Each structure stands twice: as structure tokens, then as C-alpha cells.
Amino acid sequence: MTASHLTLDQAQHFARIALGHVRREYPNNVDHALAEPSDARTPSQLHPIFYGSYDWHSCVHGYWMLARLLRRYPDFAPASDIRALFDVQFVADKVDAERAYFARPTARGFKRPYGWAWLLKLATELALQSDDSWGRNLAPLTEVIAQRFRDFLPRATYPVRVGTHFNTAFGLRMAADYADISKDGDLRKLLRETGQRWYSEDRDCPAWGEPSGDDFQSSALIEAECMRRLLPLSEFLPWFDRFLPRLSERQPATLFRPASVSDRTDGKIAHLDGLNLSRAWCWRSLGNALPATDRRRAIAHEAAREHLSAGLPHIAEHYMGEHWLASFAVLALDDED
């Protein structure tokens, strides 16, 4: 069975993977709307920090992973390379350019909510570093993204429940960490109220659409993880009982079967390796929230190990997965999240 906790060897391996792609500009899947001919620019011209890793959001969480690993293992072999990278990238002029991009009229929905969520998660991790200058330098962009959540959530009548970047439960869950680290009580309240508005009445989730052919999140499990993060335990546990009432019977069965990946050179199909890793993260986190005497705790932890074993060996098999999968492996392996 695959080890279920992050090891030094894994941390060094994952860090080397990310160091190899966060400044790799091509290939690149540019998510960019052109309003005029002069808007046709290269990735690094558009985004002087987050231009690598195939796409903006993957680059953001590549930096998050590097920051997390550096904090976990401040003296490990890649540490000096990570610090040197951050010293070069998290500087005022580059942050200003990234921030200015979001002021473009055509960028109103840019990377909503997945990229927003990871940017706040990165800011959270940088705030925990022994050197907080990187986080302070990123702050102008961080505040833009936090304001994006404040502006968008009251207008978002309905949640998005898909298993891809548009899932709103993932956005709330990651933003909650930032709200806590920044002591932003108003944002924390907005996140909680939005989660309750969207999800509080959900019950007996069938998970019938899982997995879809390009899922990298479980719409059922990430909703549960979102509510675990937003609610006090006394409110979460009754909600969870209603949401997945047959968990002790390992039902819905689809949530317990790791996804099969037929072609890791296909970027969409390769998402399914990420589904296995993100499910492992959710199962572990949900299991940890259950009382020690609750038999569902062991069931959840076993499901986490099974999904981790399915996804972990394939992180570096092809660039379509390599540019992002390690971040989800760290979520799955690191008990802090």
C-alpha cells in the first residue's frame, strides 16, 4: 500500500518537477480574450510571474506547492533554488503586471473560481513562511482576487457542481484558508453563508455523474470537504450524515472506485489521475473530521489510501499530467489540509 504521508524523498521529487515547469513557457494553453490586435502577446508578456506550467492556474498552484514544501522542509535540497526563484518572481513590478491584467474588461471572469482559489491558497502559504516578504509583495494581487470573491459570491445565485475548474465548492474551500490567515472575518462570513445557501439542503447525494470523462475533482466529495471547512463540527457532522447517509455501506459505490486512465498523453483524460488524488485528499480530510469511534472514519481513510495508490505513481509520466498533478498529491499526502 502506498505511504499516506508526505516524505522527504517525495517532497524533493515534487519540488524538482515544479522547478522544471513553473518557468517553462511552452507548450502553453493561453486563456486570454483579445479586444484588439495589440492584445496578441506571449504568455510571459501577459503574465510575468505565472506564465509557465502550461496554464496560469497550474503555474499558481505550482508556486503554492513549492512554498508548502519549503515550509515543510526548509533545509531540503531544492530549498535554495526555491528561495532564489521566489526572490526573482515575487517582486513589485511583476506583481503589478499580474494585477493589471485583472483590470482588463475582458478579464472579469478570468480563472473564476479555480485560479482565484489557488491564488489565495498561495497567499496563505506565503504568509506562513519565515520570510514574509514574498507574501507582502504579492499582496496587491491577493487583494484583487479576494475582492473578486466578495463581488462575485453575492451575485452567484447557483453553485457549479462539475468536476473541473468551474466547481464552486473548491473555490469556497480554498478561499476559507486565506480568510482565516488574513483574519478577514467579513470574507469568512461571506464564504460560510454562501456555502450554506448553496449546499445546506443537499442530502442523499447519489454521485451518479461521477466520474465524468475529464473530472479531476469529485463534485460530491469536494462539496463535503467545503462544508467541513466552512462549518463548525457540531453543524458539519449532522449535515454530512444527511449528505452521504450510506457511507458505512460504502455507498455511493462510485465514490469508492478509483478512476481508470486510458491515455495520459491526452490532457483531458489525464485529469482522471487528478481525480484519484483529489478524492484521496477529500477522503482523508473527511475521515479525520469523524470521531475516532465512528466506523466511517476507517472506511474514509481506506478509500483515501486506495485512491492515492491509483494516482501517485503517474505524476511524472507525461507533461499533460506532470505540470499540475504533484500539487494535488501534496494535498493528499499532507495532513495540514
Side-chain angles (χ1 to χ4, degrees):
M1 184 67 70
T2 301
S4 57
H5 297 282
L6 183 69
T7 68
L8 174 60
D9 285 345
Q10 288 171 329
Q12 293 181 150
H13 177 53
F14 295 156
R16 291 300 181 198
I17 288 175
L19 287 167
H21 65 64
V22 292
R23 289 196 289 183
R24 176 178 171 177
E25 189 166 5
Y26 299 102
N28 203 299
N29 184 26
V30 180
D31 182 1
H32 174 58
L34 280 69
E36 56 187 36
S38 63
D39 287 340
R41 303 168 69 192
T42 67
S44 59
Q45 290 171 335
L46 293 167
H47 302 291
I49 302 176
F50 305 119
Y51 62 83
S53 308
Y54 190 68
D55 47 46
W56 191 89
H57 53 258
S58 297
C59 196
V60 171
H61 62 75
Y63 277 97
W64 165 81
M65 184 183 71
L66 289 170
R68 169 61 64 87
L69 297 176
L70 180 64
R71 181 165 62 87
R72 282 288 191 242
Y73 298 98
D75 299 317
F76 74 155
S80 60
D81 290 338
I82 296 172
R83 292 189 179 99
L85 172 69
F86 287 5
D87 286 343
V88 169
Q89 293 295 85
F90 295 130
V91 294
D93 60 333
K94 293 182 180 181
V95 172
D96 284 346
E98 293 279 357
R99 179 183 54 81
Y101 186 87
F102 281 87
R104 299 165 59 93
T106 55
R108 180 179 179 182
F110 179 71
K111 300 301 179 182
R112 183 180 74 199
Y114 183 75
W116 297 1
W118 274 117
L119 193 285
L120 294 189
K121 187 69 170 169
L122 169 61
T124 301
E125 190 57 46
L126 292 179
L128 296 169
Q129 299 292 317
S130 58
D131 180 354
D132 68 352
S133 63
W134 302 317
R136 285 188 283 106
N137 289 345
L138 189 66
L141 176 60
T142 302
E143 178 52 33
V144 167
I145 300 305
Q147 190 61 43
R148 282 287 203 268
F149 273 102
R150 298 185 195 105
D151 293 341
F152 171 67
L153 293 180
R155 298 197 306 267
T157 306
Y158 308 107
V160 180
R161 302 177 186 272
V162 297
T164 55
H165 308 84
F166 308 103
N167 185 284
T168 46
F170 180 84
L172 297 184
R173 189 262 172 262
M174 300 302 250
D177 291 345
Y178 171 75
D180 284 353
I181 199 71
S182 63
K183 297 181 171 57
D184 190 333
D186 289 340
L187 178 59
R188 188 68 168 78
K189 182 174 182 286
L190 175 61
L191 296 170
R192 177 177 173 174
E193 290 177 347
T194 303
Q196 290 175 312
R197 174 165 57 87
W198 284 344
Y199 306 122
S200 63
E201 298 303 314
D202 291 356
R203 59 189 64 228
D204 199 9
C205 177
W208 64 266
E210 296 190 33
S212 184
D214 68 348
D215 281 354
F216 64 90
Q217 298 189 63
S218 162
S219 58
L221 294 179
I222 193 57
E223 179 178 333
E225 169 57 12
C226 171
M227 295 297 270
R228 181 206 64 80
R229 186 63 182 83
L230 294 176
L231 299 178
L233 195 61
S234 61
E235 295 180 26
F236 168 70
L237 290 176
W239 178 89
F240 190 57
D241 291 344
R242 297 189 299 271
F243 184 63
L244 291 173
R246 295 171 293 135
L247 193 63
S248 60
E249 305 164 26
R250 293 177 65 92
Q251 295 292 331
T254 187
L255 294 180
F256 291 89
R257 288 193 296 266
S260 176
V261 184
S262 62
D263 183 357
R264 291 185 171 88
T265 69
D266 184 302
K268 293 293 189 179
I269 296 175
H271 274 183
L272 294 166
D273 277 323
L275 176 65
N276 288 329
L277 294 170
S278 63
R279 278 184 174 183
W281 163 50
C282 290
W283 275 127
R284 176 187 50 74
S285 184
L286 294 167
N288 288 346
L290 295 170
T293 56
D294 191 325
R295 66 186 299 262
R296 295 175 300 173
R297 183 182 177 100
I299 290 171
H301 285 162
E302 178 61 22
R305 288 190 291 271
E306 291 172 355
H307 281 83
L308 188 62
S309 294
L312 200 57
H314 306 295
I315 288 171
E317 286 193 12
H318 190 274
Y319 192 60
M320 284 296 98
E322 186 181 66
H323 75 271
W324 66 281
L325 283 173
S327 297
F328 280 86
V330 171
L331 285 176
L333 289 163
D334 193 343
D335 275 332
E336 182 170 318
D337 280 289

